[in-house]
Amino acid sequence: MVDLESEVPPLPPRYRFRDLLLGDQGWQNDDRVQVEFYMNENTFKERLKLFFIKNQRSSLRIRLFNFSLKLLSCLLYIIRVLLDDPTQGHGCKELNRGCSSQNYTPTKIDWSPIIWVNRSLPLWGLQVSVALISLFETMLLGYLSYKGNLWEQVLRIPFLLEIINAVPFIITIFWPALRNIFIPVFLNCWLAKHALENMINDLHRAIQRTQSAMFNQVLILISTLLCLIFTCICGIQHLERAGNKLTLFDSLYFCIVTFSTVGFGDVTPKIWPSKLLVVIMICVALVVLPIQFEQLAYLWMERQKSGGNYSRHRAQTEKHVVLCVSSLKIDLLMDFLNEFYAHPRLQDYYVVILCPTEMDAQVRRVLQIPMWSQRVIYLQGSALKDQDLLRAKMDDAEACFILSSRCEVDRPAADHQTILRAWAVKDFAPKCPLYVQILKPENKFHIKFADHVVCEEEFKYAMLALNCICPATSTLITLLVHTSRGQEGQQSPEQWQKMYGRYSGNEVYHINLEDSTFFAEYEGKSFTYASFHAHKKFGVCLIGVRREDNKNILLNPGPRYIMSSTDICFYINITKEENSAFKKQEQHRKNKESKSYYHGPSRLPLHSVIASMGTVAIDLQDTGCRSSSGPTLTLPSEGSKDGRRSSIAPVLEVADSSSLQTCDLLSDQSEDETTPSDDDISTGLEYAKGYPPYSPYIGSSPTFCHLLHEKVPFCCLRLDKGCQHNYYEDAKAYGFKNKLIIVAAETAGNGLYNFIVPLRAYYRPKKELNPIVLLLDNPPDMHFLDAICWFPMVYYMVGSIDNLDDLLRCGVTFAANMVVVDKESTMSAEEDYMADAKTIVNVQTLFRLFSSLSIITELTHPANMRFMQFRAKDCYSLALSKLEKKEREKGSNLAFMFRLPFAAGRVFSISMLDTLLYQSFVKDYMISITRLLLGLDTTPGSGFLCSMKITEDDLWIRTYARLYQKLCSSTGDIPIGIYRTESQKLTTSESREIASQSQISISVEEWEDTKDTKEQINNRNNHRNSTSSDQSDHPLLRRKSMQWARRLSRKVPKHSGKTAEKISQQRMSLYKRSERQELAELVKNRMKHLGLSTAGYDEMNDHQNTVSYILINPSPDTRLELNDVVYLIRPDPLAYVPNTATSQKNSFCNTVGQDAREETQL
């Protein structure tokens, strides 16, 4: 092979040095050709065109110079008119010596004053100079813009006007006799108008100004009107030199009077040329001005649709926020405005709405209200366009709220749009704080840069899960994140509505410890001591703190946490401390002592709240660790049964480890795992605690949970189908000890993972774990099954709540809670509020078939809550509807709060949590606190939300303050509210109306107390065997009983009202009982057909006559009642566990992590 390097000799050193200094010149001998580009722009014409036309800034200067020239020519004409005197001759001596002696007669016009004028030599020189410059510029621009058609350039109106105004002046240079000839220089006003339009266009191009069509049209209209008036003034004044010899002011007066259609007639044209000019100008005005006004009106309407611009001056002097949405609905708008402007310091803010769709009629009517029209600006535009973001002055905004369209069928697509909006805003205004609402949790990690993010499905499922173990958690959170003054329901005659409405005004606030009157005195003392005494003294509930050097909020860090002066305290109260006034209570207490002794169920003297602090009658050291949701408190010791008043241990300033019950994992392990029961041994179920090895999406917070040692095969997760590992085909066959929690959803989305995690958290006792059954319309995918197969007692079943057989197979007859999740496919409907129609009807069917079942429903629209558990013509429901309307008229943001399903926590709408994002603008900690309460985030040392039930053994505590002290001194729990259930008492008038309307159910006991009980039962049973279950057929017995009651009511005297009332109740009890038994018979027949046992079906248990509601942070003297459920924030059990124990606990998680690789779904 030939060596190529040997064939090419190396370059001598001298050539190399020359190349280094002078460069490589070898290309001159090559075939390469140097090509220069854009040579056409190097010509003289192109350079002139670049300067005069193409370059924006130089072209703008040329336009401005041209505009100034035209204005100067018009000004010189006015000066010439003012200096000219028609009576002194007309400068026509050289051509017509006798023209000055001619006079005007009606039949003959002297044309010399019209043709000739007096023009001084300096004025003539200025006008000639202006004409020369203007003509030269016009010719040059015509040459540069010439495109091959000469006549197109010559016949343009601006060019013709320029020739008429400039060429005669140039002729007078060479012909001095024509120096005083009249030239219509005032027509330059139209050239000035044309130059102004071109100048504005160049100005907009130069400064990149957008949306200038409206400004241009207004400018064109005004300039057109001014040019018409100026032309008419100058024309009339000049023509009347041969007539009335009008001055400029007289001509101005005549034109204004004429164009305004007033027409006084004191100044009129005398000769026909001036009359003809007036006619021509009026015709031109009648043609031109309507066209201009039409275009202006059209642009104005378009601007009203698009919203125009937000003023830069206002953006720099006033504060504003921007709301970006896909489509703006009236409910979303009012929720945002009411919550945003509920805070006093936000009253001066402007709200700029940026929406790509046109404003609908409802939103337009609302924004025309003076309260909103001065503060809310609607802009039609897209957040993905920098021009629209510039219109909204996003770079000067205090915050940007980006909301998702939850009514979209394709929710991932709605999230993708939200993500792009967030990216666009962040790119345009990096310093603008972002408040983003996202729907799907798997999309959350795309917007981690946002300052505050609320994931709808995360919060929704976590809230629904806590509703199953802490009743009405959704209502509790909703009331906490809504701004209210607690004035709702204060005019109601119902006592529960007054209490419920007053305590609903409690919200979460924050303050520095050293600046606080509430907590400053507790510096250096334990957290539980500060919380208890602050509640005892001021009625505020301290729930959490945050260190100055730490961003994490700790909810109830426990009695071992020592308060520091730099701590930020978070507390629940009616209003924040800065808006409170403090008065000494001695005189106030003396005035109320005489009235406070047992005044109502919740009024006690303040000194009786805490019983004798000196003696301790309870041996707290011997008290065992209570479960996380244990139903009872520790009873007093035996020594307290001799009639002596039981007392409670004081809350210590500094925690004493010997007196604290540390409900940690070790004790729970010794109870649940070290000594397993016989049933656990027989079934072989052993649970461990650790972090779930799989997560269905990126961004889920790790939570310490109860897990299985080995994952369950996917076939065993199917509840209704047997496999090689087990042969169970329904929930009853599994023999669960605890009642089921059933979740009915359309698909197994990643958000459903957040429903399981709080119910399997490590602080839930193993013996109290409820089996979870997922009733899904569509089969789940493998990623979701990978995530749930490690959790104990979690199953799924493909079915629907529309099918009674599916409900019975999944164990609805012995379920503790039934959670019905709103289906995504039904969230959009032609009529917005009909999106919940199918869900509401299905839940109503469940309510009728399984009256004892606790059903928790999610709705799309909060306004549809009134249809939940609907009873037509129910007096109490009608009264609540009237109360809701009154509260809405008063401007309440919580008008729906008195609806019984919402107050009881049986219905929930995710749109209620929109206020959480809005409130974060003022309270940036609200999202973090809500996530901690719901268990979405777990911070080391932070507590969790749980509940306890007041039983008969706990009533010795008597008041809420004593309960507060008992919990703080024993377990370190912080109570934050009460869930109370009361029986609904009916008055006599209500009973009569109920009996006449045949709608409310009468209790079984009252029906059984009647004299003809057995006969009615026999008749009912005979009728059951002979008739169908269709309610529309009106069974014979029911019809006869109604006729019998009517005849009896006619015969009974007026004074026997009680007898008639009892008979009506008997008849209605018969009607209701027959209907219930028909439904029960239907359910039992289906259960027998499916081979299921009917032993657990209790068709007669009904809770329709109860009222449940929440008391957030009640007063210390509130009396405890039987079956009250107290909301607690319990300290983190892991905070008291040694590191060695913690490492043992985490060993399972480590081993699982070594054997399995986490899979995530993007």
Side-chain angles (χ1 to χ4, degrees):
M1 185 175 182
V2 182
D3 191 1
L4 297 179
E5 294 183 358
S6 61
E7 295 180 358
V8 180
L11 200 65
R14 58 187 183 89
Y15 291 106
R16 295 177 185 174
F17 182 72
R18 184 191 62 182
D19 294 343
L20 180 64
L21 294 178
L22 303 178
D24 187 9
Q25 303 295 326
W27 62 269
Q28 297 178 354
N29 300 324
D30 297 342
D31 294 334
R32 290 179 295 177
V33 178
Q34 184 177 5
V35 180
E36 296 184 7
F37 301 98
Y38 302 107
M39 290 299 296
N40 60 324
E41 295 184 358
N42 295 330
T43 62
F44 180 73
K45 180 179 178 180
E46 289 296 328
R47 291 180 180 180
L48 289 177
K49 187 182 295 186
L50 180 64
F51 180 79
F52 282 91
I53 298 176
K54 293 183 179 181
N55 188 274
Q56 298 172 358
R57 297 190 178 275
S58 60
S59 175
L60 177 61
R61 298 189 187 102
I62 298 298
R63 307 286 188 187
L64 182 60
F65 176 73
N66 190 19
F67 177 72
S68 304
L69 279 180
K70 304 308 177 187
L71 290 182
L72 178 60
S73 63
C74 294
L75 180 62
L76 292 176
Y77 177 84
I78 294 174
I79 294 175
R80 199 273 306 163
V81 172
L82 294 176
L83 297 178
D84 188 11
D85 187 1
T87 61
Q88 296 179 0
H90 312 295
C92 54
K93 296 178 181 180
E94 293 82 357
L95 298 178
N96 191 359
R97 298 285 182 180
C99 63
S100 61
S101 61
Q102 298 178 3
N103 296 324
Y104 163 75
T105 60
T107 59
K108 187 177 181 181
I109 301 175
D110 183 11
W111 293 96
S112 59
I114 299 176
I115 299 175
W116 302 102
V117 295
N118 290 327
R119 184 180 291 115
S120 62
L121 184 61
L123 185 62
W124 171 81
L126 288 176
Q127 288 185 323
V128 169
S129 301
V130 171
L132 285 172
I133 298 174
S134 298
L135 183 62
F136 175 75
E137 181 186 6
T138 303
M139 298 299 292
L140 179 61
L141 291 176
Y143 165 72
L144 295 178
S145 60
Y146 174 70
K147 297 180 180 179
N149 192 344
L150 180 62
W151 292 106
E152 181 181 356
Q153 299 291 330
V154 172
L155 297 180
R156 289 188 304 116
I157 293 179
F159 185 82
L160 294 177
L161 288 177
E162 192 68 47
I163 295 299
I164 293 173
N165 293 326
V167 171
F169 281 107
I170 298 175
I171 294 175
T172 59
I173 299 176
F174 306 101
W175 196 351
L178 299 178
R179 184 173 300 171
N180 289 328
I181 194 172
F182 170 74
I183 302 174
V185 183
F186 59 85
L187 294 179
N188 276 328
C189 65
W190 296 99
L191 295 177
K193 170 182 172 292
H194 181 69
L196 179 63
E197 295 177 9
N198 295 332
M199 183 179 65
I200 294 299
N201 293 332
D202 289 338
L203 178 64
H204 292 159
R205 289 192 305 159
I207 65 175
Q208 296 296 320
R209 186 175 176 181
T210 59
Q211 297 296 325
S212 59
M214 188 68 189
F215 176 79
N216 287 348
Q217 194 61 39
V218 172
L219 184 64
I220 292 173
L221 176 63
I222 295 175
S223 59
T224 302
L225 186 60
L226 291 177
C227 289
L228 281 173
I229 294 175
F230 184 74
T231 304
C232 187
I233 291 172
C234 295
I236 293 297
Q237 185 275 333
H238 180 72
L239 292 176
E240 283 299 314
R241 286 164 59 90
N244 288 341
K245 296 180 175 57
L246 300 177
T247 63
L248 280 177
F249 182 78
D250 292 335
S251 299
L252 174 63
Y253 171 76
F254 169 75
C255 292
I256 295 300
V257 171
T258 303
F259 277 96
S260 63
T261 68
V262 176
F264 290 117
D266 52 345
V267 177
T268 57
K270 296 298 182 182
I271 61 176
W272 67 265
S274 58
K275 293 180 181 179
L276 180 62
L277 178 62
V278 171
V279 172
I280 294 175
M281 297 305 297
I282 290 177
C283 293
V284 171
L286 290 178
V287 174
V288 175
L289 292 182
I291 296 176
Q292 301 292 335
F293 276 112
E294 181 184 3
Q295 294 179 358
L296 180 63
Y298 174 77
L299 290 176
W300 177 260
M301 294 175 62
E302 292 297 321
R303 184 182 181 183
Q304 289 296 104
K305 294 179 182 178
S306 62
N309 295 335
Y310 183 69
S311 171
R312 173 67 68 178
H313 173 72
R314 180 185 292 179
Q316 294 175 351
T317 57
E318 304 286 346
K319 295 181 179 180
H320 76 286
V321 298
V322 181
L323 175 64
C324 296
V325 290
S326 298
S327 60
L328 187 62
K329 302 296 183 181
I330 187 64
D331 294 336
L332 174 66
L333 175 63
M334 295 312 300
D335 287 343
F336 179 84
L337 295 180
N338 290 331
E339 183 63 34
F340 186 80
Y341 285 112
H343 301 276
R345 75 181 185 89
L346 302 182
Q347 298 301 315
D348 297 332
Y349 277 66
Y350 286 88
V351 174
V352 179
I353 302 173
L354 187 60
C355 181
T357 60
E358 184 179 345
M359 187 179 358
D360 61 11
Q362 287 183 329
V363 174
R364 189 182 303 276
R365 285 195 297 267
V366 169
L367 295 185
Q368 288 176 351
I369 299 175
M371 181 173 61
W372 306 123
S373 62
Q374 303 298 326
R375 298 189 287 185
V376 182
I377 301 171
Y378 187 94
L379 303 181
Q380 183 178 353
S382 173
L384 272 63
K385 295 182 179 179
D386 288 350
Q387 295 88 346
D388 294 331
L389 295 178
L390 184 63
R391 290 170 54 204
K393 305 301 181 291
M394 185 68 74
D395 49 342
D396 293 328
E398 299 294 322
C400 177
F401 295 89
I402 302 178
L403 305 184
S404 296
S405 179
R406 65 168 54 91
C407 295
E408 293 289 339
V409 177
D410 191 357
R411 293 167 71 84
D415 272 352
H416 299 161
Q417 297 175 10
T418 302
I419 293 170
L420 286 184
R421 290 191 182 96
W423 289 354
V425 173
K426 197 65 177 179
D427 178 70
F428 182 84
K431 296 182 180 180
C432 180
L434 280 181
Y435 297 76
V436 184
Q437 178 193 69
I438 207 78
L439 301 179
K440 294 288 187 178
E442 58 265 24
N443 297 321
K444 190 176 62 172
F445 78 101
H446 290 294
I447 51 174
K448 281 187 176 181
F449 57 84
D451 299 83
H452 300 277
V453 179
V454 171
C455 182
E456 180 178 295
E457 287 196 0
E458 274 189 343
F459 282 86
K460 175 179 71 176
Y461 282 107
M463 202 172 301
L464 293 174
L466 282 183
N467 264 10
C468 300
I469 51 180
C470 299
T473 303
S474 59
T475 303
L476 172 68
I477 299 298
T478 302
L479 295 179
L480 282 178
V481 301
H482 270 79
T483 301
S484 172
R485 292 179 175 268
Q487 299 176 353
E488 289 82 2
Q490 298 309 301
Q491 305 299 326
S492 173
E494 296 281 346
Q495 182 64 25
W496 76 269
Q497 293 174 358
K498 292 182 179 180
M499 297 177 60
Y500 175 50
R502 181 170 67 252
Y503 293 127
S504 68
N506 283 277
E507 299 178 43
V508 181
Y509 300 99
H510 75 293
I511 193 171
N512 290 330
L513 180 69
E514 57 184 355
D515 302 331
S516 172
T517 305
F518 290 156
F519 313 111
E521 59 183 298
Y522 308 118
E523 179 183 353
K525 300 178 182 178
S526 67
F527 176 86
T528 52
Y529 181 88
S531 180
F532 166 69
H533 283 86
H535 184 269
K536 172 187 174 182
K537 187 175 182 180
F538 300 103
V540 301
C541 180
L542 178 64
I543 62 171
V545 292
R546 182 175 64 192
R547 292 290 191 191
E548 183 182 20
D549 55 349
N550 196 346
K551 296 182 179 180
N552 294 328
I553 299 176
L554 303 179
L555 294 182
N556 186 13
R560 299 185 182 182
Y561 184 92
I562 304 302
M563 305 293 290
S564 174
S565 61
T566 58
D567 286 350
I568 299 177
C569 302
F570 301 93
Y571 62 95
I572 298 177
N573 196 21
I574 292 291
T575 182
K576 59 182 180 180
E577 181 180 331
E578 292 84 349
N579 298 338
S580 305
F582 302 95
K583 300 179 181 179
K584 294 184 177 181
Q585 298 294 326
E586 286 80 3
Q587 186 64 31
H588 180 68
R589 187 183 304 174
K590 291 179 181 179
N591 295 335
K592 299 191 73 174
E593 269 186 357
S594 59
K595 301 179 182 180
S596 61
Y597 282 92
Y598 302 101
H599 181 64
S602 63
R603 293 290 181 267
L604 287 178
L606 190 59
H607 60 77
S608 66
V609 172
I610 307 300
S612 117
M613 304 288 288
T615 60
V616 180
I618 310 171
D619 188 5
L620 295 176
Q621 285 77 8
D622 296 336
T623 304
C625 176
R626 192 162 47 87
S627 63
S628 64
S629 57
T632 60
L633 291 171
T634 308
L635 286 173
S637 60
E638 295 295 333
S640 62
K641 295 183 179 180
D642 57 355
R644 188 179 67 175
R645 185 177 180 181
S646 58
S647 60
I648 302 174
V651 183
L652 302 179
E653 294 185 6
V654 180
D656 184 5
S657 59
S658 62
S659 63
L660 283 176
Q661 302 177 24
T662 58
C663 296
D664 54 24
L665 290 178
L666 291 178
S667 61
D668 184 60
Q669 183 184 22
S670 62
E671 177 186 353
D672 292 342
E673 299 173 9
T674 307
T675 58
S677 62
D678 297 337
D679 296 334
D680 292 339
I681 296 176
S682 61
T683 56
L685 295 178
E686 294 184 6
Y687 304 152
K689 293 176 181 176
Y691 293 101
Y694 292 103
S695 175
Y697 63 93
I698 297 176
S700 60
S701 300
T703 304
F704 213 56
C705 299
H706 291 282
L707 300 174
L708 297 172
H709 288 286
E710 296 181 357
K711 69 176 184 178
V712 178
F714 292 168
C715 58
C716 296
L717 295 176
R718 187 72 181 261
L719 180 72
D720 57 334
K721 289 187 178 181
C723 63
Q724 59 182 355
H725 306 95
N726 64 70
Y727 303 97
Y728 304 141
E729 294 185 354
D730 59 85
K732 184 69 175 178
Y734 283 82
F736 297 120
K737 294 182 179 180
N738 299 328
K739 290 189 175 183
L740 302 177
I741 295 177
I742 303 176
V743 186
E746 186 176 19
T747 57
N750 294 326
L752 196 56
Y753 176 79
N754 294 290
F755 183 90
I756 301 174
V757 170
L759 299 179
R760 293 295 179 264
Y762 69 96
Y763 43 75
R764 310 289 177 198
K766 185 182 68 174
K767 294 182 179 180
E768 297 180 7
L769 298 181
N770 298 92
I772 302 174
V773 178
L774 309 178
L775 184 61
L776 306 174
D777 291 354
N778 302 310
D781 55 15
M782 293 302 174
H783 292 283
F784 182 78
L785 295 180
D786 277 334
I788 68 172
C789 65
W790 290 95
F791 294 102
M793 293 188 296
V794 177
Y795 307 92
Y796 78 93
M797 173 181 167
V798 179
S800 174
I801 58 174
D802 300 341
N803 193 320
L804 179 59
D805 293 351
D806 293 339
L807 291 173
L808 295 175
R809 285 195 187 96
C810 70
V812 70
T813 55
F814 47 95
N817 293 278
M818 178 79 177
V819 179
V820 181
V821 181
D822 197 9
K823 296 183 179 181
E824 297 180 6
S825 60
T826 62
M827 285 185 177
S828 61
E830 294 182 359
E831 186 178 351
D832 291 338
Y833 291 94
M834 285 297 177
D836 295 320
K838 186 175 181 180
T839 302
I840 293 174
V841 174
N842 289 336
V843 172
Q844 182 72 4
T845 304
L846 288 174
F847 175 69
R848 300 289 295 277
L849 292 176
F850 310 100
S851 56
S852 61
L853 180 63
S854 177
I855 306 174
I856 304 169
T857 311
E858 182 212 355
L859 298 179
T860 302
H861 300 283
N864 291 331
M865 288 190 302
R866 63 183 186 274
F867 302 120
M868 300 304 300
Q869 301 179 5
F870 183 74
R871 305 183 188 97
K873 300 181 181 179
D874 182 18
C875 300
Y876 203 72
S877 298
L878 293 177
L880 292 177
S881 178
K882 294 180 181 178
L883 177 62
E884 180 179 349
K885 294 177 182 177
K886 291 180 181 179
E887 296 297 335
R888 187 177 290 108
E889 291 174 357
K890 294 179 182 178
S892 172
N893 300 338
L894 298 170
F896 54 81
M897 63 178 292
F898 294 103
R899 290 288 182 179
L900 295 182
F902 173 77
R906 298 190 181 97
V907 66
F908 164 72
S909 176
I910 191 61
S911 62
M912 299 175 186
L913 279 186
D914 289 346
T915 56
L916 174 62
L917 189 65
Y918 313 152
Q919 205 175 79
S920 299
F921 181 66
V922 177
K923 305 175 182 178
D924 56 355
Y925 49 84
M926 278 306 300
I927 295 179
S928 299
I929 290 180
T930 305
R931 292 183 65 88
L932 290 173
L933 287 174
L934 297 179
L936 291 172
D937 290 339
T938 55
T939 302
S942 179
F944 59 92
L945 181 65
C946 61
S947 64
M948 58 161 288
K949 192 172 185 179
I950 301 297
T951 63
E952 293 183 356
D953 295 336
D954 302 323
L955 291 178
W956 63 274
I957 301 178
R958 294 191 300 278
T959 64
Y960 186 76
R962 289 170 57 84
L963 174 67
Y964 210 120
Q965 182 183 0
K966 166 65 179 172
L967 293 172
C968 289
S969 61
S970 57
T971 59
D973 298 345
I974 302 297
I976 62 174
I978 296 176
Y979 177 76
R980 178 163 293 175
T981 302
E982 297 178 354
S983 60
Q984 181 180 344
K985 297 180 181 179
L986 302 178
T987 60
T988 304
S989 60
E990 290 175 346
S991 300
R992 290 177 181 175
E993 189 172 359
I994 289 167
S996 63
Q997 294 175 348
S998 304
Q999 290 298 327
I1000 198 167
S1001 62
I1002 308 299
S1003 63
V1004 179
E1005 289 77 13
E1006 292 180 356
W1007 183 82
E1008 290 177 348
D1009 290 340
T1010 58
K1011 296 180 180 180
D1012 53 349
T1013 304
K1014 296 181 180 180
E1015 296 178 1
Q1016 292 183 356
I1017 293 177
N1018 295 331
N1019 292 335
R1020 187 182 69 251
N1021 293 334
N1022 294 334
H1023 174 67
R1024 165 64 62 188
N1025 298 328
S1026 60
T1027 59
S1028 63
S1029 61
D1030 189 2
Q1031 297 299 321
S1032 62
D1033 293 337
H1034 297 288
L1036 179 63
L1037 177 61
R1038 220 169 292 160
R1039 186 166 60 251
K1040 286 186 176 182
S1041 63
M1042 295 172 64
Q1043 296 174 356
W1044 169 72
R1046 284 197 294 268
R1047 290 197 303 269
L1048 187 62
S1049 62
R1050 297 192 190 102
K1051 297 179 181 179
V1052 173
K1054 295 182 179 180
H1055 62 272
S1056 58
K1058 295 183 179 179
T1059 306
E1061 181 181 348
K1062 182 178 294 187
I1063 293 173
S1064 298
Q1065 291 181 359
Q1066 295 174 5
R1067 177 171 56 85
M1068 294 313 305
S1069 300
L1070 174 65
Y1071 175 83
K1072 298 299 293 183
R1073 181 140 182 157
S1074 300
E1075 180 183 88
R1076 290 184 183 179
Q1077 283 200 350
E1078 289 175 3
L1079 296 175
E1081 192 70 22
L1082 172 64
V1083 175
K1084 289 182 178 180
N1085 288 336
R1086 294 309 305 163
M1087 294 179 70
K1088 292 178 182 178
H1089 177 75
L1090 297 174
L1092 304 177
S1093 174
T1094 62
Y1097 179 62
D1098 182 13
E1099 70 277 7
M1100 300 305 297
N1101 188 8
D1102 195 359
H1103 302 288
Q1104 295 183 6
N1105 296 334
T1106 60
V1107 175
S1108 300
Y1109 56 96
I1110 291 178
L1111 304 177
I1112 302 177
N1113 187 29
S1115 59
D1117 57 347
T1118 302
R1119 293 296 297 267
L1120 299 178
E1121 296 183 2
L1122 186 63
N1123 294 327
D1124 279 353
V1125 177
V1126 182
Y1127 297 102
L1128 307 175
I1129 299 180
R1130 180 156 296 167
D1132 183 15
L1134 291 177
Y1136 307 134
V1137 179
N1139 294 332
T1140 56
T1142 306
S1143 61
Q1144 294 175 1
K1145 288 290 177 179
N1146 295 336
S1147 59
F1148 168 74
C1149 178
N1150 296 332
T1151 56
V1152 172
Q1154 294 173 1
D1155 297 336
R1157 179 170 51 90
E1158 182 176 358
E1159 295 183 4
T1160 56
Q1161 178 181 358
L1162 298 181

